[in-house]
Amino acid sequence: MSFLNLVEGPLFTFAAAVFVLGALWRLIGIIRIGRAKDISPPKASAAAGFIKGNLRHFFPRGIFAKRTMVHIIGGYGFHLGLFMLVFFGVYHIDFLNERILGFSWPALPRWAFLLTSAVAFSGLITLWVRRISDPVMQLISDKDDHIGSWLTFLVMLSGCFALEQAHDSLRGVHMLLVDIWLIYFPFSRLMHSFTFFLSRGQSGMTYGRKGKVR
Amino acid sequence: MHNQFYSLRNFLKLSVLMLMLAAFAAPVAAQSVRPPGNAVNLDDGIEDGPSNALGDVSDTEFWDNFRGGNPSELFAPAPEGQVMTTTGQQWRMIREKFIRKYLGWAPVIVIGLLAVFYLVRGPMKITAGRSGKTLPRFTLSARVAHWFMAGVFIILGLTGMIILLGRVVIAPYLGLEANSVLTSAAMQGHNLFGPIFIFALIWLFIKFVRGNFFQWIDLKWIFKLGGFFGGHVSSRQFNFGEKTWFWMVILGGIVISVTGVIMLFPGLVEDVRWLQLSTILHALGAVALIAVAFGHIYVGTIGMEGSIDSMLKGEVDENWAKEHHDLWYEEVTGKSAKEEETP
Amino acid sequence: MTSKTELAVDKFLEQTDSEVASFFEACVHCGMCAEACQFHLSTGDPKYTPIYKLRPMERAYKREKAPFSRLKKMLGLAPKPVTEKELIEWAPLVYDGCNMCKRCTLVCPMGIDIAGTIRKMRAGYAAAGLAPEEL
Ligand code: HEM
Ligand code: SF4
Ligand code: SF4
């Protein structure tokens, strides 16, 4: 079996299984703890608060937006960019179509794909250099933060390196990094891509019940 | 855009091939060459050229015409019989005999000099020791702009070096196949990060241009060789060395950006000589910046105690400020940099 | 005999319901909360970063209660246990370093309720008798 077949075949299947099962296990583990009882009479709906909390925090607040502008732009650029690359890059759609889903959808044209990559890379680099150049960030960051950023960066970079599609080995390296990323994901802070809705939602519930979602 | 790029590459490859063929054929042609009837056709030119070149009629005119392609009409169809331009020859000479051969040594030499300097003079300490008190120097957004540029610069430097020197540095040791893989990867990376560099350059310029204009006081700095060989030098927020580095990055960066865009979108120019000039200027500018960047990194890290704080914390020690940017210290604090030298 | 630390940690864990757990799970260490907290803004001291004030409680949760915590402990990857020294060190942050203004929640991309969690953390301090005497 060639290297490429390994990392796109059995190893990918294994990594994807770890990703799905691990992430589910962790999400269920968090939810299973259960919310503490709130004995005060509710002023408004907690469920609506869950949704409000989730929506509210997509938008920066005016008074703070200016101070955190670099972070907001970098963050949105990176996350939206990566989302577009993963789900609307033609290679990714083909891969998902052939390996997993069995259907496909329209892809970004090449120029848009490259432009999106540039935005996503810029965002990720901005977020990480901010992490290393600020005392607050240095204090609260741990190994996981750096490993997560770098693994994601390397996955993206190796993907970019393989763009000519002339060498199986480059595609193989990209896929190997994807596999490692998938396996690392559920055990790390990368999980924030799923846990964010629990966190926003539950604080929304608490405050929603009191009648004011923050 | 994509197609044009590839056709340019093919075009250059073909030029080289043709050049070699022509070189072989020329001496023979002087005696007994008849132009092949279908030599105007690019595809057939390769196969039929040399074999038919052994024909009977001498025709230097044909070969002159053959090589008479107009470099200024890169994408226009060539007139009958004109197949290639010859400016590529000079370009190739510069690239192979000068750039690829010597340019790569520039950063190596700089590193060597820095190592010698470090061994002989050692790092520049804060002579009064750290005071423990700090002054704000760069805002977070300025620091982010700096590291953003540094990151993009490093990625482009590494990939660019592979593209430029892979053939002479990597291929002989790891083999042609490995070099081909690395170059393909580096090429894609370089093309993608190139445009990001332009963005980084603008950002860096906006955040750092204040305080970086040259002033009279910089002359003193020059006469005292920046204090690297002893003596005290005065300076405001940025000293002459820093200002020079800033403007090198900005101006060199503009050259690299413009030539890079031309190479990325060759359709922007009509004349192939612009492209050839671009590759040369691009390499010269980039290697010069890389070489000096090592000096910058040296002073920013192990070369000078306390410098890196300004980029990692945004604050510098007061004694660092007094010793390296005394006038700035006085401007910011309103105190004299001479008094209270107690650590 | 149960030490003060154990009492505090037990209370921390008891107070960590799925809401607080999801806060600890979701925080991306982005540091934006620091930009909202008056304690940080007026002193410039990174230790007043809101999420940092919760660190001992977060560590207790990640070591003892979080999904995969047993696996991570087995592999030696779990965070270090909370110590009494640390709790004492954190007391000023927990008691005098937050006025429950909730500005940090407004700015946090994860909507993390730092103030509410600090209140729960104080319960742990109280249970262990580590709360400042004047209260
Ligand atoms: C990666 C290693 C690097 C380190 C450790 C480093 C370190 C530093 C430090 C400490 C300063 C502040 C000096 C001061 O306080 O006055 C600085 C300033 C600066 N750096 Fe870097 N740097 C690095 C790479 C780069 C690169 C690759 C570039 C550009 C291509 C760059 C461009 C600048 C510029 C323009 C300034 C502004 C100060 C001036 O006007 O000279 N740096 N760097
Ligand atoms: S703003 Fe929220 S997510 Fe960011 S570090 Fe603070 S608590 Fe964590
Ligand atoms: S609630 Fe507390 S931690 Fe948050 S901003 Fe206000 S004082 Fe700071």
Side-chain angles (χ1 to χ4, degrees):
Chain A
M1 182 183 285
S2 77
F3 173 58
L4 184 60
N5 286 338
L6 174 73
V7 293
E8 285 196 343
L11 192 58
F12 177 77
T13 312
F14 173 73
V18 171
F19 173 80
V20 173
L21 297 177
L24 275 178
W25 176 273
R26 188 152 159 196
L27 283 179
I28 293 170
I30 298 166
I31 296 169
R32 261 194 39 195
I33 296 173
R35 282 174 66 83
K37 275 224 174 57
D38 189 343
I39 42 172
S40 64
K43 290 208 185 96
S45 152
F50 188 94
I51 296 175
K52 265 193 219 157
N54 261 296
L55 297 179
R56 194 67 195 83
H57 287 276
F58 273 117
F59 305 100
R61 302 292 169 103
I63 39 168
F64 305 116
K66 233 180 29 224
R67 256 203 304 274
T68 51
M69 194 48 89
V70 169
H71 196 102
I72 291 169
I73 295 176
Y76 267 103
F78 165 65
H79 284 96
L80 291 179
L82 187 64
F83 180 83
M84 293 298 282
L85 295 181
V86 171
F87 294 106
F88 293 94
V90 63
Y91 322 111
H92 302 150
I93 296 177
D94 286 351
F95 185 84
L96 290 173
N97 178 17
E98 282 158 28
R99 300 272 165 169
I100 305 174
L101 300 173
F103 59 89
S104 81
W105 55 93
L108 287 173
R110 190 179 168 85
W111 64 266
F113 183 78
L114 294 179
L115 195 70
T116 313
S117 315
V119 171
F121 271 118
S122 303
L124 180 56
I125 296 174
T126 303
L127 295 185
W128 188 74
V129 299
R130 184 175 174 279
R131 198 176 277 296
I132 59 162
S133 57
D134 184 36
V136 165
M137 301 304 285
Q138 287 156 2
L139 181 70
I140 61 177
S141 299
D142 57 19
K143 276 199 208 98
D144 187 11
D145 292 315
H146 295 288
I147 299 173
S149 302
W150 272 90
L151 253 184
T152 308
F153 175 72
L154 290 176
V155 167
M156 288 165 62
L157 190 69
S158 63
C160 160
F161 281 171
L163 270 176
E164 200 184 13
Q165 294 189 288
H167 299 278
D168 275 358
S169 48
L170 291 177
R171 187 185 167 113
V173 170
H174 179 52
M175 283 308 295
L176 175 65
L177 284 162
V178 169
D179 295 346
I180 295 173
W181 190 90
L182 286 172
I183 294 171
Y184 185 69
F185 187 100
F187 306 100
S188 71
R189 198 163 285 114
L190 295 174
M191 267 297 283
H192 74 273
S193 13
F194 296 134
T195 51
F196 83 93
F197 84 93
L198 282 181
S199 155
R200 287 178 182 184
Q202 301 214 55
S203 106
M205 277 167 88
T206 301
Y207 285 104
R209 220 181 123 85
K210 293 178 182 164
K212 169 106 182 70
V213 175
R214 304 244 160 203
Chain B
M1 150 50 227
H2 200 62
N3 278 336
Q4 278 171 355
F5 188 73
Y6 280 100
S7 70
L8 173 72
R9 246 173 53 179
N10 288 338
F11 170 80
L12 291 175
K13 265 195 246 162
L14 251 169
S15 312
V16 174
L17 242 164
M18 287 304 206
L19 204 74
M20 281 155 48
L21 289 177
F24 277 120
V28 190
Q31 289 145 23
S32 59
V33 172
R34 180 183 56 78
N38 55 355
V40 285
N41 189 312
L42 274 184
D43 301 334
D44 298 343
I46 299 174
E47 250 115 65
D48 296 350
S51 53
N52 286 358
L54 297 171
D56 36 40
V57 181
S58 161
D59 193 349
T60 40
E61 226 177 274
F62 161 73
W63 290 112
D64 282 347
N65 190 41
F66 185 80
R67 295 159 54 140
N70 185 348
S72 67
E73 287 168 2
L74 184 52
F75 300 112
E80 181 87 341
Q82 294 182 352
V83 173
M84 64 200 224
T85 70
T86 48
T87 47
Q89 259 172 303
Q90 297 135 22
W91 171 75
R92 243 170 52 79
M93 288 293 283
I94 298 173
R95 200 172 147 81
E96 298 299 327
K97 292 276 171 338
F98 172 68
I99 291 182
R100 276 195 163 162
K101 221 167 166 175
Y102 300 116
L103 219 55
W105 288 105
V108 179
I109 292 170
V110 170
I111 293 173
L113 290 176
L114 288 170
V116 170
F117 185 83
Y118 184 73
L119 291 176
V120 175
R121 304 265 326 174
M124 285 174 96
K125 294 262 186 246
I126 301 177
T127 26
R130 285 179 189 263
S131 68
K133 278 177 286 178
T134 56
L135 287 177
R137 186 157 168 83
F138 297 125
T139 62
L140 178 57
S141 59
R143 282 173 269 153
V144 171
H146 173 266
W147 290 118
F148 185 82
M149 168 53 100
V152 173
F153 187 92
I154 291 169
I155 294 169
L156 285 168
L158 287 173
T159 51
M161 280 300 189
I162 293 176
I163 297 168
L164 185 68
L165 299 177
R167 193 55 217 264
V168 284
V169 175
I170 298 170
Y173 304 100
L174 297 181
L176 284 173
E177 173 62 22
N179 183 48
S180 144
V181 171
L182 280 174
T183 310
S184 161
M187 188 81 185
Q188 297 303 322
H190 205 76
N191 286 353
L192 197 107
F193 276 87
I196 302 179
F197 177 83
I198 300 177
F199 169 66
L201 194 66
I202 297 170
W203 194 5
L204 188 80
F205 179 80
I206 294 172
K207 287 292 168 190
F208 284 93
V209 67
R210 263 186 71 208
N212 260 316
F213 289 105
F214 291 109
Q215 291 154 318
W216 283 114
I217 189 163
D218 295 326
L219 276 179
K220 279 199 221 154
W221 192 96
I222 302 172
F223 287 131
K224 291 187 176 173
L225 295 172
F228 282 101
F229 299 93
H232 179 81
V233 285
S234 280
S235 72
R236 298 178 64 176
Q237 175 156 24
F238 296 114
N239 63 38
F240 179 75
E242 288 170 318
K243 289 174 185 174
T244 310
W245 172 233
F246 174 79
W247 288 109
M248 272 194 75
V249 171
I250 297 301
L251 299 177
I254 290 174
V255 171
I256 298 176
S257 302
V258 171
T259 52
V261 167
I262 290 177
M263 288 189 283
L264 206 53
F265 303 99
L268 289 175
V269 291
E270 281 284 292
D271 190 324
V272 70
R273 284 170 297 188
W274 281 117
L275 291 169
Q276 292 162 347
L277 185 67
S278 291
T279 64
I280 292 167
L281 287 181
H282 196 79
L284 283 176
V287 173
L289 276 192
I290 291 170
V292 184
F294 282 112
H296 171 71
I297 293 169
Y298 170 80
V299 184
T301 54
I302 56 170
M304 185 184 280
E305 183 187 357
S307 289
I308 195 77
D309 295 356
S310 66
M311 278 303 166
L312 289 184
K313 299 192 172 75
E315 299 182 338
V316 288
D317 196 274
E318 284 196 359
N319 284 346
W320 181 92
K322 281 184 202 168
E323 286 172 25
H324 300 296
H325 298 274
D326 49 354
L327 302 179
W328 174 73
Y329 172 84
E330 292 177 355
E331 277 163 39
V332 182
T333 61
K335 287 186 277 189
S336 159
K338 297 252 155 48
E339 291 160 17
E340 41 159 14
E341 289 274 78
T342 41
Chain C
M1 183 205 114
T2 37
S3 69
K4 283 184 177 176
T5 319
E6 276 168 287
L7 285 170
V9 166
D10 285 348
K11 194 72 181 172
F12 286 167
L13 296 177
E14 186 199 307
Q15 291 285 322
T16 309
D17 67 344
S18 70
E19 178 182 9
V20 175
S22 72
F23 294 160
F24 292 149
E25 296 283 356
C27 172
V28 278
H29 291 173
C30 69
M32 296 229 258
C33 44
E35 295 297 323
C37 182
Q38 289 299 352
F39 287 86
H40 170 67
L41 291 176
S42 55
T43 59
D45 192 333
K47 77 176 184 213
Y48 287 115
T49 303
I51 191 68
Y52 187 69
K53 297 168 190 168
L54 302 175
R55 179 110 341 148
M57 187 170 178
E58 178 185 355
R59 280 243 308 285
Y61 164 74
K62 292 211 164 144
R63 187 177 166 83
E64 309 293 349
K65 196 168 177 178
F68 298 125
S69 56
R70 217 169 305 158
L71 178 71
K72 287 188 179 170
K73 232 172 170 175
M74 248 158 54
L75 298 172
L77 294 172
K80 282 200 267 337
V82 180
T83 62
E84 185 170 336
K85 186 163 158 274
E86 196 179 13
L87 289 173
I88 293 170
E89 199 186 320
W90 247 263
L93 291 180
V94 176
Y95 282 92
D96 308 328
C98 174
N99 60 18
M100 306 276 151
C101 72
K102 300 190 175 106
R103 281 160 56 107
C104 48
T105 305
L106 299 185
V107 76
C108 174
M110 300 297 168
I112 293 171
D113 178 14
I114 304 274
T117 313
I118 288 211
R119 185 172 291 125
K120 293 178 179 168
M121 199 170 164
R122 286 178 184 170
Y125 270 76
L130 286 169
E133 305 220 324
E134 58 276 26
L135 290 178

